[in-house]
Amino acid sequence: MALRLAGATVVITGASSGIGQATAEAFAREGARLVLAARGAGALERVAARCRALGAAAVAVPTDATDSEAVNRLAAQARAFGGGIDVWVSNVGVGAVGRFEDTPMRAHEQVIRANLIGHMNDAHAVIPVFLRQGRGIFINMISLGGFAAAPFAAAYSASKFGLRGFSEALRAELADHPGIHVCDVFPAFIDTPGISHGANYTGRALSAPPPVYDARRVAATILGLARAPRPRAVVGWVSWAARLAHLLAPDGTTRLMARFMSAYFRRARAAPVTDGSLFASSGDGGRIDGGLRSRSQRLIGLGLVAGAVLMVIGLERRLTRS
């Protein structure tokens, strides 16, 4: 039976910008009761105010997802606010880009804490609530990085591969509870402030390869999972392509990506080495878009789609001849 979103209590972590903010606003338009969490109190309150302006009841609860006790308090406040928890969107995500040996171990550790342990903290806090209720939807934001490794982002890759494994294991443990769902979301490259907020140890300016998708598209997918849960949802053809390429030729595709990234770093303009928002809130949240979707990006994306289609046609012809 589909969940009625109006009046449903929805917790969203990582809600102060990007996909989290887009998802909060999408649920607000449906009349959900929102409990929004992130580290930055100011940005989080701006998003909550925006959701209230859209007609939803919303409360901001500043929370560090890497702190299990803080996440437990978040779950308790959500239960008090909504009388239960219907949906929990586990959306915290950080990144650190740089050669493995040039990236400080404290940065690698923080990426793992946020992207893997933070999501485990979320699940550990809410699954007992779901078990008592006999129902609930846990939506785990993973990324195409859960299918294919990202050179120059080793800890990010480790965290996302680990998060996919964790989610699959948790889903299996809960298989005897048909009212409880664990749903994974695998977006392609999304236009959010995430890249500008991330740690950068390359000394070069960072961007995302085209095509880059609107965060609101991911939010729409999350709403769809809340209404009709399923184990996984992929956003963007690039995620499907990465999944297939890694299945067919994992070493070759990863090496090709490493060469592409190396070539990009050689051409990119110089930029300062920075921890970004890895260890503290950026302070400039409260916005969905990162400004990555230029017209040229969209044209290059269309070119890549055309190239991929031609490659598939060529492969199909070779298979037919053989």
Side-chain angles (χ1 to χ4, degrees):
M1 188 173 179
L3 174 67
R4 184 173 178 270
L5 298 183
T9 300
V10 179
V11 178
I12 304 172
T13 62
S16 60
S17 66
I19 292 172
Q21 179 178 350
T23 301
E25 292 184 8
F27 274 109
R29 292 186 182 94
E30 297 294 328
R33 296 177 59 81
L34 294 170
V35 181
L36 307 179
R39 289 176 301 175
L44 193 62
E45 181 52 43
R46 288 194 292 274
V47 176
R50 170 68 177 158
C51 291
R52 288 191 286 268
L54 291 170
V59 61
V61 184
T63 305
D64 183 345
T66 67
D67 181 344
S68 61
E69 291 304 315
V71 178
N72 286 335
R73 290 193 293 272
L74 170 65
Q77 288 182 254
R79 289 178 61 205
F81 180 69
I85 301 173
D86 298 294
V87 180
W88 187 297
V89 182
S90 188
N91 177 64
V92 167
V94 297
V97 180
R99 286 189 174 277
F100 175 74
E101 67 274 17
D102 294 337
T103 302
M105 272 308 302
R106 66 189 184 97
H108 289 307
E109 291 170 359
Q110 181 66 2
V111 170
I112 298 294
R113 274 194 292 268
N115 293 1
L116 178 56
I117 303 301
H119 289 246
M120 293 176 73
N121 286 339
D122 286 355
H124 203 265
V126 76
I127 293 302
V129 178
F130 288 169
L131 289 170
R132 287 193 295 271
Q133 296 174 167
R135 59 178 177 78
I137 302 168
F138 186 78
I139 299 176
N140 226 352
M141 186 60 57
I142 303 183
S143 89
L144 66 81
F147 293 136
F152 302 98
Y156 181 86
S157 297
S159 70
K160 295 300 184 176
F161 271 61
L163 183 55
R164 179 162 64 92
F166 163 68
S167 206
E168 290 178 3
L170 182 61
R171 189 160 43 244
E173 287 188 29
L174 295 168
D176 292 334
H177 301 273
I180 300 175
H181 305 273
V182 178
C183 310
D184 300 335
V185 184
F186 296 90
F189 300 107
I190 306 298
D191 183 17
T192 73
I195 288 180
S196 62
H197 289 172
N200 181 1
Y201 303 104
T202 67
R204 298 290 177 175
L206 301 180
S207 186
V212 179
Y213 297 92
D214 191 329
R216 296 162 188 83
R217 179 168 174 176
V218 185
T221 298
I222 292 171
L223 254 67
L225 290 173
R227 291 192 178 99
R230 60 186 190 277
R232 58 193 58 84
V234 176
V235 182
W237 68 268
V238 174
S239 289
W240 285 112
R243 186 178 186 183
L244 178 61
H246 190 267
L247 176 67
L248 296 176
D251 292 333
T253 53
T254 306
R255 287 173 185 165
L256 184 63
M257 178 60 72
R259 291 191 185 117
F260 171 82
M261 294 296 293
S262 294
Y264 169 81
F265 291 140
R266 285 194 296 271
R267 297 191 309 269
R269 63 177 173 82
V273 169
T274 174
D275 291 332
S277 62
L278 204 54
F279 301 102
S281 171
S282 66
D284 70 338
R287 60 190 177 99
I288 294 173
D289 302 301
L292 300 174
R293 287 177 299 136
S294 65
R295 185 173 184 272
S296 61
Q297 281 261 12
R298 289 193 289 271
L299 290 174
I300 293 171
L302 289 172
L304 289 174
V305 172
V309 170
L310 290 174
M311 287 176 62
V312 170
I313 291 172
L315 178 60
E316 185 179 14
R317 286 176 177 172
R318 285 196 294 272
L319 291 173
T320 301
R321 288 172 188 158
S322 62

